Amino acid sequence: MKRTQASALVALGLVGLVVAFLLELAAVASGSAMFLPPTTLPIALIAIGVVVLALARPIRQATRGRVGQHVNPFLAIRVALLAKASALSGALLLGGGLGIVLYILTRSVVPAVTSLWPAIGTAVGAAILLTLGLVAEHFCTLPPDDDDQEQGEVRA
């Protein structure tokens, strides 16, 4: 498994931004209310990131520090995949949150400030999820060997 590329994160962020902006535009143009993320979404995103990091920490301790401690390879690859999925979904949600913020700020009549904070909170929570997912993915990599392993490959 290869580590998450920055280009994939940027692409997903841009997709989230464009889709969220266009969905807001379509909803308001059709007479519906503007979509605002729930206030509990940032809390949930941060909690998911903390859980992913907590799952990856024992793997890092086993591979880097303590001699004689074995790592379950199936658990390690599952945690690595969960970390990668968290990073990718964090990038998508970060773009979505920023798309909503962009839509709110580009209106000629700016809505109440209370409608801006949930979108900013979602963007911040998604950025934290993205960061913790990338850190957890790094925790699931083995230190480099003397072998000619491909750089950045996740081995469990």
Side-chain angles (χ1 to χ4, degrees):
M1 185 176 110
K2 301 229 186 248
R3 299 209 32 203
T4 304
Q5 301 285 328
S7 59
L9 297 174
V10 170
L12 280 172
L14 288 175
V15 166
L17 187 135
V18 169
V19 168
F21 185 85
L22 291 178
L23 283 176
E24 290 286 349
L25 190 64
V28 172
S30 68
S32 299
M34 209 171 51
F35 171 74
L36 292 175
T39 55
T40 56
L41 183 60
I43 297 167
L45 293 175
I46 294 169
I48 291 169
V50 168
V51 167
V52 169
L53 192 64
L55 288 172
R57 189 167 184 268
I59 296 169
R60 178 171 174 86
Q61 289 176 342
T63 58
R64 294 236 173 20
R66 300 186 182 148
V67 177
Q69 192 175 17
H70 297 288
V71 177
N72 180 352
F74 296 110
L75 175 66
I77 197 66
R78 286 180 186 137
V79 172
L81 288 174
L82 180 64
K84 186 172 188 136
S86 296
L88 294 174
S89 60
L92 187 65
L93 289 170
L94 174 62
L98 291 177
I100 294 171
V101 169
L102 181 68
Y103 177 79
I104 291 172
L105 293 178
T106 57
R107 299 300 92 204
S108 59
V109 176
V110 179
V113 175
T114 56
S115 62
L116 187 62
W117 289 114
I120 292 173
T122 298
V124 169
I128 292 172
L129 175 64
L130 169 65
T131 304
L132 292 179
L134 289 175
V135 170
E137 185 179 342
H138 176 70
F139 280 4
C140 292
T141 58
L142 289 175
D145 291 342
D146 292 336
D147 300 341
D148 291 328
Q149 282 288 338
E150 188 170 302
Q151 197 175 38
E153 185 176 332
V154 177
R155 295 183 304 139

